[in-house]
Amino acid sequence: MKRILSLLMVGLLLAVGTYAKPPKKVMKNAVVQHIVLFKFKPETTPEKLKEILTAFEALPSKIKEIKGFQWGTNNSPENHAHGLTHAFILTFDSEKDRDAYLPHPAHKEFGTIVGPWLADVTVVDFTNQAK
């Protein structure tokens, strides 16, 4: 019985050691992350929301400076979202590329699609500092 417990403890320690040190995944230095958070007006229908999301998802195919695009809906249990429901992260190789995206006609067109339906929007950009 002691031998079995000892073997279980060794196995547990090995397993914990394996998961305690996840591999470090670092993005290329100096990429710019453009984070956009939306709060939609209550009258935004599911159909309108789908149209908006489809339009946003199309931007990377229209704007070559966008190097990465991901999005999702808030699922945080912390209750600090202040009504913001949708998060988007666009990745650019540089501030110059991000700056080219902002006035791009496709981005402006998207603004006309989403704008009337927004109750609030938050935008934060940062340049990756991780080493």
Side-chain angles (χ1 to χ4, degrees), residues 105-120:
H107 180 236
K108 294 294 188 184
E109 179 184 352
F110 173 69
T112 65
I113 294 168
V114 70
W117 302 97
L118 291 177
D120 197 9

Side-chain angles (χ1 to χ4, degrees), residues 4-113:
I4 292 173
L5 287 174
S6 293
L7 288 173
L8 286 173
M9 287 300 292
V10 168
L12 180 61
L13 288 173
L14 287 174
V16 168
T18 301
Y19 294 107
K21 300 174 188 171
K24 188 174 182 182
K25 294 182 181 181
V26 178
M27 296 186 77
K28 177 180 130 186
N29 282 339
V31 297
V32 174
Q33 301 289 20
H34 178 70
I35 301 168
V36 181
L37 306 171
F38 287 157
K39 175 182 179 180
F40 290 98
K41 292 178 180 175
E43 61 269 21
T44 307
T45 65
E47 295 79 20
K48 181 52 74 174
L49 186 57
K50 184 176 181 187
E51 176 189 334
I52 291 166
L53 296 173
T54 299
F56 209 161
E57 288 177 325
L59 289 183
S61 67
K62 297 177 179 182
I63 304 174
K64 67 179 172 55
E65 288 82 6
I66 299 173
K67 301 303 182 199
F69 178 86
Q70 52 190 321
W71 74 272
T73 56
N74 178 44
N75 62 12
S76 174
E78 295 180 286
N79 199 26
H80 295 297
H82 305 285
L84 297 160
T85 58
H86 289 72
F88 304 85
I89 302 174
L90 288 78
T91 302
F92 299 92
D93 283 339
S94 65
E95 289 183 18
K96 179 182 172 191
D97 284 354
R98 185 265 328 268
D99 293 348
Y101 156 80
L102 294 174
H104 192 284
H107 180 236
K108 294 294 188 184
E109 179 184 352
F110 173 69
T112 65
I113 294 168

